[in-house]
Amino acid sequence: MDGNGRWAAARGLPRIFGHRAGVEAARRVVEAAPGAGVSILTLFAFSSDNWRRPPAEVDALMRLMGSYLQNETPRCIEQGVRLEVIGRRDRLDSALTSAIARAEAATAHGRRLRLRIAVDYSGRDAILAAARGIPELSRDALELAIGPAVDLLIRTGGERRLSDFLLWESAYAELVFTRTMWPDFGATDLAAAVRDFHSRDRRFGAVPPPAPRREQAWLD
Ligand code: IPE
Ligand code: MG
């Protein structure tokens, strides 16, 4: 979810207006995800490096997160969305951590979409934390501890980098970079990214299967 600040600046508005519009975009995308064939959606709401932003903006983002959780919980229950928050919790305000716990508990039965919101999240820290909890470290054990592999990673706002997001899980992710600012992103953009994903040949390091010989093709 990148481009909120620039979206606001382009309209002569303070950055927080962009963040508010970004919440609307998140709502649209969550609603559109199951229909687009997405069963797990992870939104990067606040990176561990975003603490470097001016305190007023950090504060506004945290408040928005709290109100999003509160407002969206009934809608999530209605739409079968199971909400969970990934990232560190020890640096969050206690009101926010309780709001997270309430939203997670209330939506725990959702089966249509698993919505993961990354808050105070760092992919590198997530790998370290997962590794620390594993007595006998192996690739399988880490994979199990860290969370589902990413199939499609979409970055809005024109930047073409991962910025410490789901690093391990994105080992074979298909990357889609779009210049669209996050507040302008919607169901159509999601559908286009999913179409792009399906058009790609995913080989996971293997070679493509040989083309069938002519007579075989004929028999098929
Ligand atoms: C939203 O966009 C991402 C968040 C951390 C909430 P930005 O705030 O990064 O917006 P730009 O990149 O300055 O336009
Ligand atoms: Mg940005």
Side-chain angles (χ1 to χ4, degrees), residues 95-110:
L96 184 55
T97 52
S98 335
I100 293 172
R102 274 198 303 275
E104 287 181 333
T107 62
H109 299 293

Side-chain angles (χ1 to χ4, degrees), residues 1-8 15 18-19 44-47 50 53 57 61 155 157 159 181-183:
M1 301 198 286
D2 196 16
N4 294 353
R6 281 164 287 162
W7 182 93
R15 294 176 58 85
H19 295 314
F44 203 0
F46 190 89
S47 124
N50 288 149
R53 293 188 179 201
E57 181 169 344
L61 284 168
R155 179 160 188 162
E159 315 288 3
M181 298 294 150
W182 175 252

